[in-house]
Amino acid sequence: MNPPERTRKQCVIVSLRMWGSGSGNGGGVSGAGGEASDSAGSEAEQKSKYWYFRDYDGIVKEAVRMIESSSYQTIETLIIEIARTVCVGFGIENCTARVEKPSALTFAQAAVVEITRSREYFRGLGEI
């Protein structure tokens, strides 16, 4: 981390992909299975292909809150905590989380970290 990065907030872009059955804490899904999506198509077609997260807004708001109030030293730490919150805090079975930091590198578009974690992965690592 460069010294100026310690004193002011940096722009980050976060992408989340969630799938699998969910339960507890207002999270979870209903439907036939698949992954969260905003794709077009009839409601019946979507229900047969995609999960519907009952608390999608809550997941997004919590991720934004974590990012805005964070003092994480690395994007690796930030992305692990976001994935942990999605899987454990919202009861989502699987999550792929990606963080891009466009201003991190001079001769590259962005520094990027992407991880895939399951709720099972976080068992035994402590509650949020």
Side-chain angles (χ1 to χ4, degrees):
M1 178 177 278
N2 297 318
E5 292 178 294
R6 295 180 191 272
T7 59
R8 60 178 190 250
K9 296 285 183 182
Q10 304 293 307
C11 175
V12 293
I13 300 165
V14 176
S15 302
L16 294 172
R17 183 173 159 236
M18 302 166 275
W19 70 98
S21 62
S23 63
N25 298 330
V29 296
S30 60
E35 52 189 66
S37 175
D38 293 329
S39 67
S42 74
E43 186 175 355
E45 288 172 342
Q46 287 183 2
K47 283 184 179 179
S48 68
K49 295 178 183 177
Y50 301 103
W51 290 104
Y52 288 89
F53 293 90
R54 290 190 295 265
D55 199 6
Y56 181 80
D57 287 341
I59 292 169
V60 171
K61 286 177 184 175
E62 182 61 18
V64 169
R65 186 200 65 73
M66 290 176 70
I67 294 163
E68 289 179 344
S69 67
S70 77
S71 59
Y72 297 106
Q73 296 292 309
T74 65
I75 58 175
E76 292 85 354
T77 304
L78 173 63
I79 200 63
I80 289 169
E81 287 306 309
I82 290 173
R84 184 170 160 236
T85 297
V86 169
C87 292
V88 177
F90 287 89
I92 304 303
E93 191 172 324
N94 300 288
C95 170
T96 295
R98 175 184 175 106
V99 171
E100 299 177 47
K101 190 173 175 185
S103 62
L105 303 171
T106 304
F107 297 107
Q109 287 184 339
V112 178
V113 175
E114 180 175 297
I115 63 168
T116 299
R117 296 290 184 266
S118 66
R119 194 172 39 211
E120 182 67 29
Y121 173 85
F122 292 107
R123 282 185 207 246
L125 297 180
E127 293 298 317
I128 293 177

